[in-house]
Amino acid sequence: TTAMCLEWLDAHDIANKSIMDYGCGSGLLAIAALKLGGRQAACIDIDPQAIIAARSNAERNRVSERMLTCNAETLLRNSYDLVIANILSGILIDLSSALTKLVTHEGLLVLTGILEEQAETVISAYAPQIPLSIILERDGWVLLAGEK
């Protein structure tokens, strides 16, 4: 699913966009987005160790000045041109309201970590706010994306 997200990022113009990597893990997606021209990236993860790893990896990749890793309350008060979440479908469904609020008007939402048979359930959960479509499929996993 991470590879699909990287493929999606590489195929889209994200120059000067603000990015939220929700469930950032090591910060790989945020770092890639910044390397591909993103203006600024914010990272959230419930695991404090993930935030430490994301900060360290941002420093190693020389993008730390454009990557924010602070508490969720601060980051969740903002909105972003692109919100990426690579986490399991049950959590994505639970977060549908919160994640859609993070997306700016005409912003993009990209969701991965979804099994093919779970795609319609996730699409339905987001349908009232952002219409999502299956953009990529690989080995039983899908990437969903849509514009607000």
Side-chain angles (χ1 to χ4, degrees):
T1 58
T2 301
M4 285 193 296
C5 230
L6 291 170
E7 184 178 328
W8 186 94
L9 284 168
D10 190 44
H12 289 81
D13 180 13
I14 57 169
N16 295 313
K17 295 199 182 307
S18 59
I19 296 108
M20 162 60 75
D21 183 356
Y22 198 103
C24 67
S26 66
L28 176 68
L29 296 176
I31 291 166
L34 291 171
K35 292 281 194 175
L36 290 166
R39 182 180 74 249
Q40 185 177 51
C43 295
I44 289 179
D45 202 292
I46 60 170
D47 181 358
Q49 195 60 41
I51 297 298
I52 292 168
R55 283 182 187 147
S56 176
N57 289 333
E59 288 173 16
R60 282 192 198 109
N61 284 277
R62 296 181 173 88
V63 294
S64 59
E65 70 283 350
R66 294 185 293 140
M67 191 162 102
L68 305 171
T69 52
C70 53
N71 68 51
E73 266 183 44
T74 300
L75 296 177
L76 295 176
R77 282 188 288 231
N78 298 323
S79 58
Y80 304 87
D81 301 316
L82 171 62
V83 175
I84 303 171
N86 182 18
I87 48 185
L88 297 176
S89 63
I91 298 168
L92 290 172
I93 290 167
D94 291 344
L95 291 171
S96 63
S97 178
L99 288 178
T100 56
K101 286 178 187 173
L102 291 173
V103 181
T104 60
H105 177 68
E106 297 185 353
L108 299 170
L109 177 65
V110 176
L111 305 176
T112 57
I114 304 159
L115 290 169
E116 194 173 338
E117 62 268 14
Q118 299 166 331
E120 287 306 317
T121 306
V122 176
I123 289 169
S124 293
Y126 284 81
Q129 297 91 9
I130 299 178
L132 298 173
S133 301
I134 296 173
I135 305 300
L136 295 170
E137 293 182 52
R138 190 168 299 134
D139 300 323
W141 297 90
V142 299
L143 178 142
L144 304 177
E147 183 177 332
K148 189 171 190 181

